[in-house]
Structures are given as C-alpha cells and as structure tokens.
Amino acid sequence: MPNCEDAPFSNIVIKQLTDIPGPQSRALLERRRLAVPRGPFNVAPIFVKSACGAIVEDVDGNTFIDFAGGLGCLNVGSAATEVSEAIKDQLEQFAHTCFHVAMHEPYIALAEKLNQLTPGEFPKKTFFANSGAEAVENAVKIARSYTGRPGIVAFEDAFHGRTLLALTLTSKVKPYKAGFGPFAPEIYRLPYPYCYRCPYSLKYPSCELRCAAPAFADFFKRHVAAESIAAVIVEPVLGEGGFVVPPREFFAELQSVCRDNGILIIADEVQTGLGRTGTLYACEQFGLEPDILIAAKSLGAGLPISSITGRAEIMDHPMVGGLGGTFGGNPLACRAALAVLDTIERDQLCSRARQIGMKVSARFRDFQATFPIVGDVRGVGAMCAFELVNNRETREPAREATDRFTQLALQKGLITITAGTFGNVIRTLMPLVITDDELEQGLQLMEQALADCEPDQYRER
C-alpha cells in the first residue's frame, strides 16, 4: 500500500474524470456481471487499486475524495499505519485459532478495553462476532435469555442488518425486505422521533414528545403488554434511515419507560460508534446508558468484527455454548480493533469529528440557503446529512435528484452515499483523518453537484 503522500491531494482534479468508469473498470464490471449476482448494490462503478486516508485511486488512475468511508468502516482512514502494522504483526504469529477451541490474548485485551470505554458505571462484559447484523442477533438472544420475554421493539426507519432477525428489525421494505419473508415473530415497531417528517404531524417542542412516553403508553395498551417485551433496540442517530437526530430529551423518556417496565435497552452503534459523532459512542451525548451496546464497522477499520458489550449479569446469563461463532473475535480483527482504539485516542479523532462536523454543518446550511432542493440539514459531529426535496412545502422526496447528485459528484471526483427510507438523503461518512484541504475540496464538489441538480438559474453558481 503506498504512502498517502504518493497520491497527493493536488492530483485530484488533474488526474481524472474524463471517463468514469474507465476502460479497466468497465472490463471488471463485465466480469462482475458474469460472476456475481445482481443483488449486491454498488454505489460507484469503479474498482479500487489503492486507498490512503480519505483518498481512493481506481484501476484507471482516477483519484477521488472519499465521503463514504467504506460505508462507515474507515473512521481512522484507509491504510492506517498503526492498524496495518498490528495486522502484519499478528499474521506473522498466527491468523486463526477459533476462540472456542484455543483462546488468544487479543480477544481478552479488546474485551477489557471496550468494557472500560463503553458508557455505564457498572461491570460489563464483551462478546465478539463478525458483523453488525450478527451483533444485533446476539444482543437480542442475550436480552431474551436474561428477561425470559420474547418481544423486541424496534423503530420505523431503522436499519439493523440483513440476516433474518436483523432484517425483521429493519424498517425499509425495498430493497432490503421485499421477497424475503416470512420474518421472525415477536418484533414490534414504533415511530422514530423524525421531527422533519413527524409521524404524528406535530412540531417540536410543542409536540411534548408525543413519540416518547405517550407513544409507549398507548403501544402497551393496543399492541403488546410491557411485561412481554425483552428489549427496545434503538440507533442513537438513524444511520441508513437518514441520519435522523432525535430530540435529546427523547432518550431520557425512553430510558425511564424501559426501567419502569423491566425492559432492556440495546443501543445499535454500528454506524454511530467509534468517534463518528464526536464522542466514542453517540450514547454519551444523549445521556443514554444502554444495557447492551453493539458496535462494528469502524471497530475493525475494514476487518470483520463486531462487539456486544453489556451489563455483566446480563451478558453472563446465556448458558455455556449459548454464544459463539467460528470467526468471531478473530485475532487479526482483534489486533486491528485495538489499534483503532489507540489511534482514535492518540490522534484525538473524537475532537476531529467535532471540528469536521462544525465545518460540514455550516456549509450544508449554506447549501440550504442557496438551493431550494435542500430541505433539511442535520447531524451530530461528523455524522452530517442533508435531505433533498422537490418542494419545501410538501417535502416531497427528491429521489431522482439524489441519484443524479451522487453520479455528478462521482464524475467530479467525490464518492458520496445516500440514505433514508425515501432514498433522498446525502450522508457524510468521510474518514476522520481527512485533511482540511481534502474536506474543503469535497464540499466544493458537493456544491457544484447540487448546482447541477437544480434548475437552470442555479447551474452557473
């Protein structure tokens, strides 16, 4: 992997963009068509040759600024030195044992570290799996085992993964759920506090948080008894659902409802965790102390690992052999995760996320003031987004314009990614190691792409 200086920022505009995808990517796309099912979606029709920090180079020599971060997996950037060195060192010793056959120290060291760092002033224990979806499934298993209850409450617009139970918890139908039923039983759903599109047609704060305690009180009367619910699973900030940030008081009420009814809280920090929102976990900013917290994505800096961390008495409840998996807590991934945590602390990436967020949010508000297509701007830390609408009054989602934006941005040298139930949200998942120059150039390219998405009077801005 080349040093990041070998793909300098100054080359981004010069080296590319007359033909995307280029000839080598087109040849690989044809091979993909013949060898890979159509089901896996691809954001950018390019094939990567190398990547460093927040810069990606494809096989045709085109360079791009990365505002997608491997779908949120690269908070410490591509080819992070400390992570790469840890993986190489571990690989020279051994790559795999299966923790259930012969244990290894990196698993224990990482569990100890996460038990210390996860919110909550109580003893904790941690178990490892391979992906966010696996973490969700195991968290639900543990919650059901501990409470002896079957029901799980999830939220509208949530995304929790693609395996059967995780997919049941996921809200968006197409493309995630269509044709894949029947789904897992005993899953219930409530509206998420999505103030821009309030499900109760109210306005914050005069709504008095109708989506919180009042919604649960009605839910327990009309749908399922509270004593049948094992856990509520919630994203502190919606990820795939559109980077929706709830009112901060929402979690205080949610926590009170759950504590009063013996219901566990599972915080899904698969996308929000590891510094993205300006603290190691987003829960810290909302005063939420979950009973179980799950993380993945940026935990392994690209290697497959997820963590399930919870109250010790809860985590200890499943019988011996009740939790497991062949590759969960693989030594390579554990070493990578330990290096990630060290890098976040050493390079003060939580603080850097707050700095990025302030700059990005300010520019997004400028976009909103300039382009009528930008209906809403929101975010926490570097987890920022804007929502595109055809009409600000009706808030009709601008899905086609959103797709056009991502295409235009790519042609200009910026990798972006969408989100939202209506597919009309542009979210930012740039590595937190992005330089100021790269960030500024990326925001300029966003502005240009927005101008090209607007009517003629905006295209020359």
Side-chain angles (χ1 to χ4, degrees), residues 252-315:
E253 290 202 16
L254 173 64
Q255 200 156 242
S256 179
V257 168
C258 289
R259 299 291 181 255
D260 289 347
N261 291 282
I263 298 170
L264 304 185
I265 298 175
I266 301 170
D268 182 340
E269 294 240 20
V270 169
Q271 193 160 157
T272 55
L274 285 302
R276 171 59 49 184
T277 65
T279 48
L280 190 64
Y281 297 108
C283 284
E284 300 171 56
Q285 301 187 48
F286 294 100
L288 178 62
E289 289 191 350
D291 300 288
I292 300 173
L293 185 149
I294 61 175
K297 287 190 181 289
S298 279
L299 180 61
L303 269 68
I305 187 170
S306 60
S307 60
I308 305 96
T309 302
R311 295 178 183 270
E313 69 272 19
I314 295 173
M315 297 296 293

Short mmCIF file of all heavy atoms in Angstrom, two decimals, residues 252-315:
data_model
loop_
_atom_site.label_atom_id
_atom_site.label_comp_id
_atom_site.label_asym_id
_atom_site.label_seq_id
_atom_site.Cartn_x
_atom_site.Cartn_y
_atom_site.Cartn_z
N ALA A 252 -34.08 10.26 27.52
CA ALA A 252 -34.39 10.25 28.96
C ALA A 252 -35.74 9.60 29.20
O ALA A 252 -35.91 8.79 30.12
CB ALA A 252 -34.38 11.68 29.50
N GLU A 253 -36.72 9.93 28.35
CA GLU A 253 -38.05 9.33 28.50
C GLU A 253 -38.02 7.85 28.14
O GLU A 253 -38.65 7.02 28.81
CB GLU A 253 -39.07 10.08 27.65
CG GLU A 253 -39.39 11.47 28.15
CD GLU A 253 -40.74 11.98 27.66
OE1 GLU A 253 -41.55 11.15 27.19
OE2 GLU A 253 -40.97 13.19 27.75
N LEU A 254 -37.31 7.50 27.07
CA LEU A 254 -37.20 6.09 26.69
C LEU A 254 -36.57 5.28 27.81
O LEU A 254 -37.05 4.19 28.16
CB LEU A 254 -36.36 5.96 25.41
CG LEU A 254 -36.01 4.54 24.98
CD1 LEU A 254 -37.27 3.77 24.61
CD2 LEU A 254 -35.03 4.55 23.81
N GLN A 255 -35.51 5.81 28.39
CA GLN A 255 -34.83 5.11 29.46
C GLN A 255 -35.75 4.93 30.67
O GLN A 255 -35.78 3.86 31.30
CB GLN A 255 -33.57 5.89 29.86
CG GLN A 255 -32.54 5.08 30.59
CD GLN A 255 -31.14 5.67 30.45
OE1 GLN A 255 -30.25 5.04 29.91
NE2 GLN A 255 -30.94 6.88 30.94
N SER A 256 -36.54 5.96 30.98
CA SER A 256 -37.46 5.87 32.11
C SER A 256 -38.53 4.81 31.87
O SER A 256 -38.83 4.01 32.76
CB SER A 256 -38.12 7.24 32.35
OG SER A 256 -39.03 7.18 33.41
N VAL A 257 -39.10 4.80 30.67
CA VAL A 257 -40.12 3.80 30.34
C VAL A 257 -39.56 2.39 30.47
O VAL A 257 -40.20 1.49 31.05
CB VAL A 257 -40.66 4.04 28.91
CG1 VAL A 257 -41.49 2.84 28.43
CG2 VAL A 257 -41.50 5.31 28.85
N CYS A 258 -38.37 2.18 29.94
CA CYS A 258 -37.78 0.84 29.98
C CYS A 258 -37.44 0.41 31.40
O CYS A 258 -37.72 -0.73 31.80
CB CYS A 258 -36.54 0.81 29.09
SG CYS A 258 -36.91 0.91 27.32
N ARG A 259 -36.87 1.31 32.17
CA ARG A 259 -36.52 0.96 33.55
C ARG A 259 -37.77 0.63 34.36
O ARG A 259 -37.78 -0.31 35.17
CB ARG A 259 -35.75 2.10 34.21
CG ARG A 259 -34.42 2.45 33.54
CD ARG A 259 -33.39 1.36 33.71
NE ARG A 259 -32.12 1.74 33.08
CZ ARG A 259 -31.67 1.25 31.92
NH1 ARG A 259 -32.38 0.36 31.27
NH2 ARG A 259 -30.51 1.66 31.44
N ASP A 260 -38.84 1.40 34.16
CA ASP A 260 -40.07 1.18 34.92
C ASP A 260 -40.73 -0.16 34.59
O ASP A 260 -41.50 -0.69 35.40
CB ASP A 260 -41.07 2.31 34.64
CG ASP A 260 -40.66 3.63 35.26
OD1 ASP A 260 -39.76 3.62 36.11
OD2 ASP A 260 -41.23 4.67 34.88
N ASN A 261 -40.43 -0.70 33.40
CA ASN A 261 -41.10 -1.91 32.96
C ASN A 261 -40.17 -3.11 32.81
O ASN A 261 -40.57 -4.14 32.24
CB ASN A 261 -41.82 -1.65 31.62
CG ASN A 261 -42.99 -0.70 31.77
OD1 ASN A 261 -44.07 -1.12 32.22
ND2 ASN A 261 -42.80 0.56 31.41
N GLY A 262 -38.96 -3.00 33.33
CA GLY A 262 -38.04 -4.12 33.26
C GLY A 262 -37.61 -4.48 31.85
O GLY A 262 -37.30 -5.64 31.56
N ILE A 263 -37.58 -3.48 30.96
CA ILE A 263 -37.22 -3.69 29.55
C ILE A 263 -35.78 -3.24 29.34
O ILE A 263 -35.38 -2.16 29.79
CB ILE A 263 -38.16 -2.90 28.63
CG1 ILE A 263 -39.60 -3.40 28.80
CG2 ILE A 263 -37.71 -2.98 27.18
CD1 ILE A 263 -40.64 -2.52 28.11
N LEU A 264 -34.97 -4.05 28.68
CA LEU A 264 -33.59 -3.70 28.40
C LEU A 264 -33.51 -2.74 27.22
O LEU A 264 -34.39 -2.73 26.34
CB LEU A 264 -32.76 -4.94 28.10
CG LEU A 264 -32.75 -6.05 29.16
CD1 LEU A 264 -31.78 -7.16 28.75
CD2 LEU A 264 -32.38 -5.50 30.52
N ILE A 265 -32.46 -1.95 27.20
CA ILE A 265 -32.18 -1.06 26.06
C ILE A 265 -30.93 -1.56 25.35
O ILE A 265 -29.87 -1.71 25.96
CB ILE A 265 -31.96 0.40 26.52
CG1 ILE A 265 -33.22 0.95 27.19
CG2 ILE A 265 -31.57 1.28 25.32
CD1 ILE A 265 -33.05 2.34 27.77
N ILE A 266 -31.09 -1.84 24.05
CA ILE A 266 -29.96 -2.21 23.20
C ILE A 266 -29.65 -1.01 22.31
O ILE A 266 -30.51 -0.58 21.52
CB ILE A 266 -30.29 -3.43 22.32
CG1 ILE A 266 -30.66 -4.64 23.18
CG2 ILE A 266 -29.11 -3.76 21.40
CD1 ILE A 266 -31.23 -5.81 22.37
N ALA A 267 -28.48 -0.45 22.44
CA ALA A 267 -28.06 0.67 21.59
C ALA A 267 -27.27 0.12 20.40
O ALA A 267 -26.22 -0.51 20.58
CB ALA A 267 -27.22 1.66 22.37
N ASP A 268 -27.80 0.36 19.21
CA ASP A 268 -27.12 -0.06 17.99
C ASP A 268 -26.22 1.09 17.54
O ASP A 268 -26.67 2.07 16.95
CB ASP A 268 -28.16 -0.40 16.91
CG ASP A 268 -27.52 -0.88 15.61
OD1 ASP A 268 -26.33 -0.61 15.39
OD2 ASP A 268 -28.24 -1.49 14.80
N GLU A 269 -24.93 0.96 17.86
CA GLU A 269 -23.95 1.98 17.48
C GLU A 269 -23.03 1.48 16.37
O GLU A 269 -21.87 1.87 16.28
CB GLU A 269 -23.16 2.41 18.72
CG GLU A 269 -23.99 3.12 19.77
CD GLU A 269 -23.51 4.53 20.07
OE1 GLU A 269 -22.79 5.11 19.22
OE2 GLU A 269 -23.85 5.05 21.15
N VAL A 270 -23.57 0.63 15.53
CA VAL A 270 -22.78 0.08 14.43
C VAL A 270 -22.24 1.20 13.54
O VAL A 270 -21.07 1.19 13.13
CB VAL A 270 -23.61 -0.93 13.61
CG1 VAL A 270 -22.90 -1.30 12.31
CG2 VAL A 270 -23.87 -2.18 14.45
N GLN A 271 -23.08 2.21 13.25
CA GLN A 271 -22.65 3.30 12.39
C GLN A 271 -22.27 4.56 13.18
O GLN A 271 -21.42 5.32 12.75
CB GLN A 271 -23.75 3.66 11.37
CG GLN A 271 -23.28 4.55 10.25
CD GLN A 271 -24.17 4.51 9.02
OE1 GLN A 271 -24.17 5.45 8.24
NE2 GLN A 271 -24.90 3.45 8.82
N THR A 272 -22.87 4.75 14.34
CA THR A 272 -22.60 5.96 15.11
C THR A 272 -21.34 5.86 15.97
O THR A 272 -20.81 6.88 16.42
CB THR A 272 -23.78 6.28 16.05
OG1 THR A 272 -24.06 5.14 16.86
CG2 THR A 272 -25.03 6.63 15.26
N GLY A 273 -20.87 4.66 16.21
CA GLY A 273 -19.78 4.46 17.16
C GLY A 273 -18.40 4.77 16.64
O GLY A 273 -18.20 5.10 15.46
N LEU A 274 -17.43 4.67 17.52
CA LEU A 274 -16.02 4.84 17.23
C LEU A 274 -15.67 6.24 16.77
O LEU A 274 -14.88 6.44 15.84
CB LEU A 274 -15.54 3.78 16.22
CG LEU A 274 -15.35 2.36 16.73
CD1 LEU A 274 -14.36 2.31 17.88
CD2 LEU A 274 -16.63 1.67 17.08
N GLY A 275 -16.28 7.24 17.40
CA GLY A 275 -15.88 8.63 17.19
C GLY A 275 -16.66 9.41 16.17
O GLY A 275 -16.50 10.63 16.06
N ARG A 276 -17.51 8.77 15.41
CA ARG A 276 -18.19 9.43 14.30
C ARG A 276 -18.96 10.68 14.74
O ARG A 276 -18.97 11.69 14.04
CB ARG A 276 -19.13 8.42 13.61
CG ARG A 276 -20.08 8.98 12.55
CD ARG A 276 -19.39 9.66 11.40
NE ARG A 276 -18.30 8.91 10.81
CZ ARG A 276 -17.53 9.36 9.83
NH1 ARG A 276 -17.73 10.57 9.34
NH2 ARG A 276 -16.54 8.62 9.37
N THR A 277 -19.61 10.63 15.88
CA THR A 277 -20.47 11.74 16.30
C THR A 277 -19.75 12.75 17.19
O THR A 277 -20.38 13.70 17.66
CB THR A 277 -21.71 11.23 17.04
OG1 THR A 277 -21.30 10.59 18.26
CG2 THR A 277 -22.50 10.26 16.18
N GLY A 278 -18.46 12.55 17.44
CA GLY A 278 -17.73 13.49 18.27
C GLY A 278 -17.43 12.98 19.66
O GLY A 278 -16.69 13.60 20.42
N THR A 279 -18.00 11.85 20.02
CA THR A 279 -17.63 11.09 21.22
C THR A 279 -17.45 9.65 20.76
O THR A 279 -17.90 9.28 19.68
CB THR A 279 -18.71 11.17 22.32
OG1 THR A 279 -20.00 10.90 21.74
CG2 THR A 279 -18.74 12.56 22.96
N LEU A 280 -16.81 8.84 21.60
CA LEU A 280 -16.55 7.47 21.14
C LEU A 280 -17.85 6.79 20.76
O LEU A 280 -17.93 6.09 19.74
CB LEU A 280 -15.81 6.67 22.22
CG LEU A 280 -15.28 5.33 21.73
CD1 LEU A 280 -14.20 5.51 20.66
CD2 LEU A 280 -14.72 4.51 22.90
N TYR A 281 -18.88 6.98 21.59
CA TYR A 281 -20.22 6.46 21.27
C TYR A 281 -21.22 7.61 21.34
O TYR A 281 -21.12 8.49 22.21
CB TYR A 281 -20.62 5.36 22.25
CG TYR A 281 -19.73 4.15 22.21
CD1 TYR A 281 -18.84 3.87 23.23
CD2 TYR A 281 -19.78 3.27 21.13
CE1 TYR A 281 -18.01 2.77 23.19
CE2 TYR A 281 -18.96 2.16 21.08
CZ TYR A 281 -18.08 1.91 22.10
OH TYR A 281 -17.26 0.81 22.05
N ALA A 282 -22.20 7.59 20.46
CA ALA A 282 -23.21 8.65 20.44
C ALA A 282 -24.04 8.68 21.72
O ALA A 282 -24.52 9.73 22.13
CB ALA A 282 -24.14 8.46 19.23
N CYS A 283 -24.20 7.52 22.37
CA CYS A 283 -24.96 7.45 23.62
C CYS A 283 -24.48 8.48 24.64
O CYS A 283 -25.29 9.01 25.42
CB CYS A 283 -24.82 6.06 24.25
SG CYS A 283 -25.81 4.79 23.47
N GLU A 284 -23.18 8.73 24.64
CA GLU A 284 -22.61 9.65 25.62
C GLU A 284 -23.21 11.05 25.50
O GLU A 284 -23.28 11.78 26.48
CB GLU A 284 -21.10 9.70 25.44
CG GLU A 284 -20.40 8.36 25.63
CD GLU A 284 -18.94 8.42 25.24
OE1 GLU A 284 -18.22 9.27 25.80
OE2 GLU A 284 -18.52 7.63 24.37
N GLN A 285 -23.62 11.44 24.29
CA GLN A 285 -24.15 12.78 24.08
C GLN A 285 -25.62 12.90 24.44
O GLN A 285 -26.14 14.01 24.57
CB GLN A 285 -23.93 13.20 22.63
CG GLN A 285 -22.47 13.19 22.23
CD GLN A 285 -22.26 13.75 20.85
OE1 GLN A 285 -22.77 14.82 20.51
NE2 GLN A 285 -21.50 13.05 20.03
N PHE A 286 -26.29 11.77 24.58
CA PHE A 286 -27.71 11.78 24.89
C PHE A 286 -28.00 11.33 26.32
O PHE A 286 -29.16 11.16 26.69
CB PHE A 286 -28.46 10.89 23.90
CG PHE A 286 -28.44 11.39 22.49
CD1 PHE A 286 -27.56 10.85 21.56
CD2 PHE A 286 -29.28 12.41 22.09
CE1 PHE A 286 -27.53 11.31 20.26
CE2 PHE A 286 -29.26 12.89 20.78
CZ PHE A 286 -28.38 12.33 19.87
N GLY A 287 -26.96 11.10 27.11
CA GLY A 287 -27.16 10.65 28.48
C GLY A 287 -27.74 9.25 28.57
O GLY A 287 -28.36 8.90 29.57
N LEU A 288 -27.53 8.45 27.54
CA LEU A 288 -28.10 7.11 27.49
C LEU A 288 -27.07 6.10 27.98
O LEU A 288 -25.94 6.05 27.48
CB LEU A 288 -28.53 6.78 26.06
CG LEU A 288 -29.12 5.39 25.81
CD1 LEU A 288 -30.40 5.19 26.61
CD2 LEU A 288 -29.37 5.19 24.31
N GLU A 289 -27.46 5.29 28.95
CA GLU A 289 -26.63 4.18 29.42
C GLU A 289 -27.34 2.88 29.08
O GLU A 289 -28.14 2.36 29.85
CB GLU A 289 -26.38 4.28 30.93
CG GLU A 289 -25.46 5.41 31.34
CD GLU A 289 -25.02 5.32 32.79
OE1 GLU A 289 -25.58 4.49 33.54
OE2 GLU A 289 -24.11 6.08 33.17
N PRO A 290 -27.07 2.33 27.90
CA PRO A 290 -27.77 1.13 27.47
C PRO A 290 -27.35 -0.09 28.29
O PRO A 290 -26.25 -0.14 28.83
CB PRO A 290 -27.36 0.98 26.01
CG PRO A 290 -26.02 1.64 25.94
CD PRO A 290 -26.08 2.80 26.91
N ASP A 291 -28.23 -1.06 28.34
CA ASP A 291 -27.90 -2.33 28.99
C ASP A 291 -26.95 -3.14 28.12
O ASP A 291 -26.10 -3.88 28.63
CB ASP A 291 -29.18 -3.12 29.27
CG ASP A 291 -30.11 -2.36 30.18
OD1 ASP A 291 -29.82 -2.24 31.38
OD2 ASP A 291 -31.14 -1.85 29.67
N ILE A 292 -27.13 -3.01 26.80
CA ILE A 292 -26.26 -3.68 25.83
C ILE A 292 -25.95 -2.67 24.74
O ILE A 292 -26.85 -1.97 24.25
CB ILE A 292 -26.93 -4.92 25.21
CG1 ILE A 292 -27.28 -5.95 26.29
CG2 ILE A 292 -26.04 -5.56 24.15
CD1 ILE A 292 -28.11 -7.13 25.77
N LEU A 293 -24.68 -2.57 24.36
CA LEU A 293 -24.28 -1.69 23.26
C LEU A 293 -23.53 -2.51 22.23
O LEU A 293 -22.63 -3.29 22.58
CB LEU A 293 -23.40 -0.55 23.77
CG LEU A 293 -22.99 0.52 22.74
CD1 LEU A 293 -22.84 1.89 23.41
CD2 LEU A 293 -21.68 0.16 22.02
N ILE A 294 -23.91 -2.36 20.98
CA ILE A 294 -23.24 -3.09 19.91
C ILE A 294 -22.50 -2.12 18.99
O ILE A 294 -22.95 -1.00 18.75
CB ILE A 294 -24.22 -3.95 19.10
CG1 ILE A 294 -25.29 -3.11 18.42
CG2 ILE A 294 -24.86 -5.01 19.98
CD1 ILE A 294 -26.20 -3.89 17.51
N ALA A 295 -21.35 -2.55 18.52
CA ALA A 295 -20.54 -1.77 17.59
C ALA A 295 -19.99 -2.69 16.52
O ALA A 295 -19.92 -3.91 16.71
CB ALA A 295 -19.41 -1.05 18.34
N ALA A 296 -19.59 -2.10 15.41
CA ALA A 296 -19.00 -2.86 14.31
C ALA A 296 -18.33 -1.86 13.37
O ALA A 296 -17.71 -0.90 13.84
CB ALA A 296 -20.05 -3.70 13.60
N LYS A 297 -18.48 -2.06 12.07
CA LYS A 297 -17.96 -1.15 11.05
C LYS A 297 -16.56 -0.64 11.37
O LYS A 297 -15.58 -1.37 11.22
CB LYS A 297 -18.95 -0.01 10.80
CG LYS A 297 -20.20 -0.46 10.03
CD LYS A 297 -21.04 0.72 9.60
CE LYS A 297 -22.30 0.29 8.85
NZ LYS A 297 -22.04 -0.25 7.52
N SER A 298 -16.41 0.60 11.87
CA SER A 298 -15.09 1.19 12.07
C SER A 298 -14.29 0.54 13.18
O SER A 298 -13.10 0.85 13.34
CB SER A 298 -15.21 2.69 12.32
OG SER A 298 -15.37 3.40 11.11
N LEU A 299 -14.90 -0.35 13.95
CA LEU A 299 -14.15 -1.03 15.01
C LEU A 299 -12.96 -1.79 14.44
O LEU A 299 -11.89 -1.83 15.05
CB LEU A 299 -15.07 -1.98 15.77
CG LEU A 299 -14.44 -2.79 16.91
CD1 LEU A 299 -13.88 -1.86 17.98
CD2 LEU A 299 -15.46 -3.75 17.51
N GLY A 300 -13.11 -2.38 13.27
CA GLY A 300 -12.04 -3.17 12.68
C GLY A 300 -11.30 -2.49 11.55
O GLY A 300 -10.43 -3.09 10.94
N ALA A 301 -11.66 -1.23 11.25
CA ALA A 301 -11.00 -0.48 10.17
C ALA A 301 -11.00 -1.25 8.85
O ALA A 301 -10.06 -1.17 8.06
CB ALA A 301 -9.58 -0.10 10.55
N GLY A 302 -12.06 -2.01 8.61
CA GLY A 302 -12.18 -2.78 7.38
C GLY A 302 -12.13 -4.28 7.60
O GLY A 302 -12.57 -5.04 6.74
N LEU A 303 -11.61 -4.71 8.73
CA LEU A 303 -11.67 -6.14 9.05
C LEU A 303 -13.00 -6.46 9.73
O LEU A 303 -13.53 -5.64 10.46
CB LEU A 303 -10.50 -6.54 9.95
CG LEU A 303 -9.25 -7.01 9.20
CD1 LEU A 303 -8.62 -5.86 8.44
CD2 LEU A 303 -8.23 -7.63 10.16
N PRO A 304 -13.53 -7.66 9.49
CA PRO A 304 -14.86 -8.01 10.03
C PRO A 304 -14.80 -8.32 11.52
O PRO A 304 -14.24 -9.34 11.93
CB PRO A 304 -15.28 -9.23 9.21
CG PRO A 304 -13.99 -9.84 8.76
CD PRO A 304 -13.02 -8.71 8.57
N ILE A 305 -15.39 -7.42 12.32
CA ILE A 305 -15.52 -7.66 13.76
C ILE A 305 -16.64 -6.80 14.29
O ILE A 305 -16.85 -5.66 13.83
CB ILE A 305 -14.20 -7.37 14.51
CG1 ILE A 305 -14.34 -7.80 15.98
CG2 ILE A 305 -13.78 -5.92 14.36
CD1 ILE A 305 -13.03 -7.78 16.75
N SER A 306 -17.39 -7.34 15.22
CA SER A 306 -18.42 -6.57 15.92
C SER A 306 -18.37 -6.93 17.39
O SER A 306 -17.91 -8.02 17.76
CB SER A 306 -19.81 -6.86 15.35
OG SER A 306 -20.14 -8.24 15.46
N SER A 307 -18.83 -6.02 18.21
CA SER A 307 -18.78 -6.22 19.65
C SER A 307 -20.17 -6.11 20.24
O SER A 307 -20.99 -5.30 19.80
CB SER A 307 -17.85 -5.20 20.31
OG SER A 307 -18.31 -3.87 20.07
N ILE A 308 -20.43 -6.93 21.25
CA ILE A 308 -21.65 -6.87 22.05
C ILE A 308 -21.19 -6.70 23.49
O ILE A 308 -20.64 -7.62 24.09
CB ILE A 308 -22.50 -8.15 21.90
CG1 ILE A 308 -22.80 -8.43 20.42
CG2 ILE A 308 -23.80 -8.01 22.69
CD1 ILE A 308 -21.84 -9.41 19.77
N THR A 309 -21.38 -5.49 24.02
CA THR A 309 -20.92 -5.16 25.37
C THR A 309 -22.13 -4.85 26.23
O THR A 309 -23.00 -4.05 25.83
CB THR A 309 -19.98 -3.94 25.34
OG1 THR A 309 -18.86 -4.22 24.49
CG2 THR A 309 -19.49 -3.60 26.74
N GLY A 310 -22.21 -5.44 27.41
CA GLY A 310 -23.38 -5.21 28.25
C GLY A 310 -23.10 -5.42 29.71
O GLY A 310 -21.98 -5.80 30.13
N ARG A 311 -24.13 -5.15 30.50
CA ARG A 311 -24.04 -5.39 31.94
C ARG A 311 -23.60 -6.83 32.18
O ARG A 311 -24.11 -7.76 31.55
CB ARG A 311 -25.38 -5.14 32.61
CG ARG A 311 -25.86 -3.69 32.55
CD ARG A 311 -27.22 -3.53 33.19
NE ARG A 311 -27.71 -2.18 33.10
CZ ARG A 311 -27.48 -1.23 34.01
NH1 ARG A 311 -26.80 -1.53 35.11
NH2 ARG A 311 -27.96 0.00 33.84
N ALA A 312 -22.67 -7.00 33.10
CA ALA A 312 -22.07 -8.32 33.31
C ALA A 312 -23.11 -9.39 33.61
O ALA A 312 -23.06 -10.50 33.07
CB ALA A 312 -21.03 -8.25 34.43
N GLU A 313 -24.09 -9.05 34.46
CA GLU A 313 -25.08 -10.06 34.83
C GLU A 313 -25.97 -10.45 33.66
O GLU A 313 -26.46 -11.58 33.57
CB GLU A 313 -25.94 -9.57 36.01
CG GLU A 313 -26.89 -8.43 35.71
CD GLU A 313 -26.27 -7.06 35.89
OE1 GLU A 313 -25.03 -6.95 35.90
OE2 GLU A 313 -27.04 -6.08 36.01
N ILE A 314 -26.18 -9.51 32.74
CA ILE A 314 -26.97 -9.81 31.54
C ILE A 314 -26.16 -10.68 30.58
O ILE A 314 -26.64 -11.69 30.07
CB ILE A 314 -27.42 -8.50 30.86
CG1 ILE A 314 -28.38 -7.73 31.76
CG2 ILE A 314 -28.06 -8.79 29.50
CD1 ILE A 314 -28.74 -6.35 31.25
N MET A 315 -24.92 -10.27 30.35
CA MET A 315 -24.07 -11.00 29.41
C MET A 315 -23.76 -12.41 29.89
O MET A 315 -23.54 -13.32 29.07
CB MET A 315 -22.77 -10.22 29.19
CG MET A 315 -22.96 -8.85 28.57
SD MET A 315 -23.65 -8.88 26.90
CE MET A 315 -22.31 -9.64 25.99
#
